[in-house]
Amino acid sequence: MPSLTLTHVALFLAAAAIAAPLAKALRIGTVLGYLIAGVLIGPFGLGGLSSGLGIGDLYSAQAVLHLAEFGVVLLLFLIGLELRLNRLWAMRRSIFGAGGVQVGVTGLVLGIIGTLLGLKFLPALFMGLALALSSTAFALQVMEENGELTARHGRLGFAILLFQDIAAIPLLALASLFAVSTAAKGPDFDVLDIAKAAATIGAIYVIGRFVIDQVLRRVAATKLHEAMTASALLTVVVVVLLCEAAGLSASLGAFLAGVLLADSTYRHEIEADIKPFEGLLLGLFFTAIGMSLDLKMLLTSPFKIAALVVAFVAVKAIVLYAIGRMSGLGARPSRRLAGSLSQGGEFAFVLFGAGAAAAVLTAEQAALGVVLVTLSMMATPAVLYLEKRLFKPDAAAQPVYDALPENDQHVVIAGLGRFGQIVSRVLRARKIPITALDIDSEHIESVRKFGVSIYFGDARRLEILEAAQTGKAKAFVLAIDDVEASLRTAELVRHNFPHVPIYARARNRNHVHRLMDLGVTVVRREMFASSLELTHDLLKGLGFTEGQAAQSVATFRAQDEKRLIEAYAHYNDEEKLREVALATAEELERQFEADAAALAVAEGAASPAPPALKRGAVKEAAE
C-alpha cells in the first residue's frame, strides 16, 4: 500500500481549508462540506483524473482516515472533560435506558427489513445493529453548530451516543459468534478478553485519578506552553494505546480518561491545548470518509441505494423520535434529536470490516453498508434543514439548558493572588459559583489546600476563556498582577464577550487609564483604599480628631478620583500630568484649610492646623 506523501497531506489540508469556510458561507454545515470535498478529490470523483500524480487515490484516503480517527478520540476526550463522575452517574438512566432501547429496537427493525430483502437473519441482524450506531463525531459536531448540545434533547442525544460507543465492544464480539453460527472462523473473544478490558479500565482510573494530575503539575511549573501541549496529547495517546491493547474502543477509553480528569486543576488548559488538533483531525476524518464513497456502486444502482438510504434514515429517525417523546421531550426537540442522530456511524466501518473478515457479510454487502453510512451522513444536514422549513417552532418551546452548576451564571476570576482571593472568599461565603484561573502551579497547589476551586489556565488565551465558559458568566473579575497580561485579558473579554461586565484591579493610575481605553469602567487601584485607611489612622495618631482625620481622607479621595478621570484625556503626556499634579496639590491644600475652618466652627472651637497642612508642604508629594 502506498505511503502517505506530502502531496497527499497538502491536498487534504487544502480541501479542509477551503471546505469549512465555503460550507459555512453556504450554510450547509462544515461536516457536509468536508464530505463533499472528500467526494470531489476522491478516487471516484475528480481525484480519479489525477491518479497518475498519485493523489486522490483510495489508499491515501484510508491512510488519512486511520490518522484522522484520532480526531474522534480527541473529541470524546474533550467531552469527557466536561463531565464528572457524579454527573455521569446521574445520567445512567438516559445512557443505558434510552441508549439501549435505541440500539436494540433500531437494530432489530433494520434486521427484519434486511431479511425481507433476501438476507439471512444473522447477517441481516448484524448489519442492522451496525447501522444502528450513529456517528458520535458527526452528531455532536452538528448539534454544537446548531447550538443544541446544551439543550435537553442534546444531552439525551449525547447519552445515546455514549451508550453506542460502549455497545460497539460487544458488537465486535458478535462477529465471532455469528461466524461460528455460519460455520466460519471468526476472531476469538472469550472471558479473558472481558477481564483484560475491565483491568484496563481500572488502570485508566488509577492513572487518571492519582498520576496524571501530579505529572501535569510538575510540567506546568516549567511554564513551557509547548510542554503542556505535548503532555496533554501524550495523555490521550497513552490511554488509546492501553485501550487498543485490551481490545477496547479507543474512543470509549479516551472518554473515560476525560471524565477522570474532569476534576483536574489543569482541565481548562488541557482542553485549550487539544481543541485545535481535534478540529483539524475531525475535518480530515470526514474528508477521508467522503473520498471512500464508492460512486461506481451508486451510479450502478442509484434508485435502489437511494431507497435504502431513505428507509434506513426513516427507521432510525422514527425510533429516536419515539424515544424523545417517551423521555418527556416536546415534538420539536424530539424531531431535532431524531434528525441529528439519524445517520450511520464511523464505527460501522469497523464492524463491516470485521463482519466481512468473519464471513458473516459478503464483500458486496459490506461495501453497500459503507455507502449507506456515508450517504446517511450527507443526508443529516438536509434532514435538519427540512425539519426547520416544514415545522414551525413551538410557541412555548424554549431551550432548556442543563449545564454544570459551576459553569452556569458564575463569576470568572482571572488571577487568584492576594486581591483575587479576597474577592473569591466573599463570593464563596455568599454561595456564588466561581471559576478561578491562575498560571502559577505552585500557588494553585497552595490555595487548593484551603478548599478553593482554582484551575491552571492562562486567561490571555481565548481558548481558556471559552473553556471557563466566560460567555455564560454573570461577571468577570480581572485580578491579574502583571499589567500587560491584565490588559491583554481585558481586551479578549471585551472583544469576545462584550455582554459580560468586567470588574478590574489596577496596579497604578496608568494601568487604570489603559483599562479605560479598552472600555473597562469598574476599576479599583489595588492599594488605594488600604492606603487611605492607614492615612486615617496616622492622622489620628498625630493628634487630629476623628472628624478631622475622616474629613481629610474623604476630601483627598474625592479630589483624587476627580483628577484620575480628568487626567485620562492626556495620560500619555508626562509634562501635562506634572502640571495637573502641581495644580491639584495646591488646590488640595486650600481645600484642607477650608475644611479645617468649617470643621472648627462646627465643633465650636478653632484648632490650629498642624505644620503638615501648611501651604506648599505637600507639593512635592503630589506626584
Side-chain angles (χ1 to χ4, degrees), residues 46 60 81 87 90 128 130 144 147 181 214 360 366 399 446 515 546 560 579 589:
L46 300 178
S60 65
L81 283 177
R87 179 62 184 156
E144 185 175 10
S181 300
Q214 296 299 318
V360 177
S446 174
L515 286 169
E546 171 64 29
D560 186 78
E579 293 177 7
E589 289 184 21

Side-chain angles (χ1 to χ4, degrees), residues 122-395:
L122 288 182
L125 180 60
F126 180 82
M127 199 165 185
L129 290 171
L131 292 174
L133 304 183
S134 304
S135 172
T136 300
F138 196 105
L140 291 179
Q141 187 89 350
V142 168
M143 286 192 291
E144 185 175 10
E145 286 182 359
N146 293 328
E148 299 175 351
L149 196 54
T150 54
R152 279 189 61 195
H153 67 277
R155 292 292 183 181
L156 180 60
F158 171 74
I160 293 173
L161 292 168
L162 180 55
F163 178 84
Q164 291 177 357
D165 281 320
I166 297 173
I169 311 307
L171 285 181
L172 273 178
L174 285 182
S176 173
L177 296 177
F178 286 4
V180 173
S181 300
T182 55
K185 181 175 177 55
D188 295 329
F189 192 92
D190 52 27
V191 177
L192 184 60
D193 293 324
I194 298 177
K196 185 191 297 183
T200 301
I201 293 176
I204 292 174
Y205 174 83
V206 173
I207 293 174
R209 194 76 172 176
F210 304 107
V211 178
I212 294 179
D213 205 58
Q214 296 299 318
V215 172
L216 292 177
R217 180 172 66 85
R218 286 171 172 76
V219 174
T222 66
K223 301 187 184 302
L224 296 174
H225 176 63
E226 59 273 21
M228 280 296 294
T229 303
S231 299
L233 289 173
L234 179 63
T235 299
V236 183
V237 171
V238 169
V239 169
V240 170
L241 292 175
L242 287 173
C243 291
E244 289 184 341
L248 285 171
S249 162
S251 299
L252 176 60
F255 171 78
L256 292 175
V259 170
L260 295 173
L261 285 174
D263 291 314
S264 170
T265 304
Y266 307 96
R267 174 168 70 90
H268 294 304
E269 186 77 10
I270 293 172
E271 184 175 11
D273 286 336
I274 288 180
K275 191 70 175 176
F277 296 96
E278 173 251 349
L280 176 60
L281 289 173
L282 278 180
L284 294 178
F285 175 81
F286 292 118
T287 304
I289 287 179
M291 287 184 68
S292 303
L293 179 63
D294 190 345
L295 291 182
K296 291 181 180 178
M297 177 180 287
L298 180 59
L299 294 175
T300 302
S301 308
F303 298 107
K304 173 186 174 182
I305 292 178
L308 289 174
V309 171
V310 171
F312 162 45
V313 171
V315 167
K316 203 164 185 179
I318 290 171
V319 173
L320 285 163
Y321 178 83
I323 290 173
R325 296 294 282 170
M326 288 187 296
S327 300
L329 297 179
R332 176 165 167 73
S334 296
R335 289 195 302 268
R336 300 300 293 178
L337 170 69
S340 299
L341 273 68
S342 61
Q343 76 291 135
E346 54 275 355
F347 205 81
F349 300 140
V350 179
L351 289 172
F352 290 142
V360 177
L361 301 176
T362 65
E364 184 179 354
Q365 290 168 348
L368 176 62
V370 171
V371 171
L372 292 179
V373 170
T374 306
L375 291 178
S376 69
M377 288 183 180
M378 292 184 171
T380 300
V383 170
L384 292 172
Y385 176 77
L386 287 175
E387 190 279 330
K388 276 188 176 180
R389 296 300 299 268
L390 296 176
F391 299 94
K392 294 182 179 180
D394 299 334

Side-chain angles (χ1 to χ4, degrees), residues 317-611:
I318 290 171
V319 173
L320 285 163
Y321 178 83
I323 290 173
R325 296 294 282 170
M326 288 187 296
S327 300
L329 297 179
R332 176 165 167 73
S334 296
R335 289 195 302 268
R336 300 300 293 178
L337 170 69
S340 299
L341 273 68
S342 61
Q343 76 291 135
E346 54 275 355
F347 205 81
F349 300 140
V350 179
L351 289 172
F352 290 142
V360 177
L361 301 176
T362 65
E364 184 179 354
Q365 290 168 348
L368 176 62
V370 171
V371 171
L372 292 179
V373 170
T374 306
L375 291 178
S376 69
M377 288 183 180
M378 292 184 171
T380 300
V383 170
L384 292 172
Y385 176 77
L386 287 175
E387 190 279 330
K388 276 188 176 180
R389 296 300 299 268
L390 296 176
F391 299 94
K392 294 182 179 180
D394 299 334
Q398 297 293 334
V400 181
Y401 293 95
D402 190 17
L404 299 178
E406 68 274 18
N407 287 327
D408 186 19
Q409 299 297 298
H410 58 305
V411 175
V412 178
I413 302 179
L416 209 68
R418 291 167 296 177
F419 194 98
Q421 284 184 49
I422 293 174
V423 176
S424 71
R425 286 167 60 187
V426 175
L427 294 180
R428 288 170 57 214
R430 297 294 300 178
K431 301 188 183 304
I432 298 174
I434 66 172
T435 297
L437 303 171
D438 206 288
I439 59 173
D440 189 332
S441 58
E442 293 182 2
H443 175 63
I444 289 173
E445 292 302 317
S446 174
V447 172
R448 279 177 66 88
K449 294 177 182 178
F450 296 92
V452 180
S453 297
I454 179 173
Y455 298 95
F456 180 87
D458 189 346
R460 292 173 297 180
R461 297 174 58 192
L462 178 59
E463 314 96 286
I464 297 293
L465 296 177
E466 290 176 340
Q469 300 191 34
T470 303
K472 295 182 181 180
K474 295 185 70 174
F476 187 92
V477 177
L478 183 58
I480 298 175
D481 182 66
D482 183 83
V483 174
E484 297 303 323
S486 169
L487 293 168
R488 170 60 179 160
T489 303
E491 183 180 11
L492 274 177
V493 175
R494 286 285 299 162
H495 179 72
N496 295 282
F497 314 103
H499 61 286
V500 179
I502 299 177
Y503 298 81
R505 156 211 188 179
R507 288 286 300 274
N508 47 44
R509 305 174 76 86
N510 182 262
H511 190 187
V512 173
H513 291 148
R514 294 174 70 183
L515 286 169
M516 292 171 65
D517 277 342
L518 298 173
V520 181
T521 57
V522 184
V523 186
R524 294 291 180 267
R525 285 168 282 173
E526 58 186 16
M527 287 186 281
F528 185 65
S530 57
S531 298
L532 290 180
E533 290 177 1
L534 179 65
T535 303
H536 173 273
D537 295 338
L538 174 62
L539 290 175
K540 289 179 63 178
L542 294 176
F544 287 82
T545 67
E546 171 64 29
Q548 290 173 325
Q551 182 70 42
S552 297
V553 169
T555 299
F556 178 83
R557 176 192 287 273
Q559 198 250 27
D560 186 78
E561 290 178 349
K562 177 184 176 183
R563 171 192 162 195
L564 182 67
I565 301 300
E566 292 175 347
Y568 172 60
H570 37 257
Y571 74 86
N572 286 320
D573 187 342
E574 186 175 345
E575 185 61 31
K576 181 67 176 178
L577 289 178
R578 178 177 174 81
E579 293 177 7
V580 172
L582 293 174
T584 303
E586 293 184 359
E587 180 184 345
L588 182 63
E589 289 184 21
R590 289 192 295 270
Q591 185 64 48
F592 275 165
E593 291 175 354
D595 289 344
L599 186 62
V601 173
E603 292 179 347
S607 57

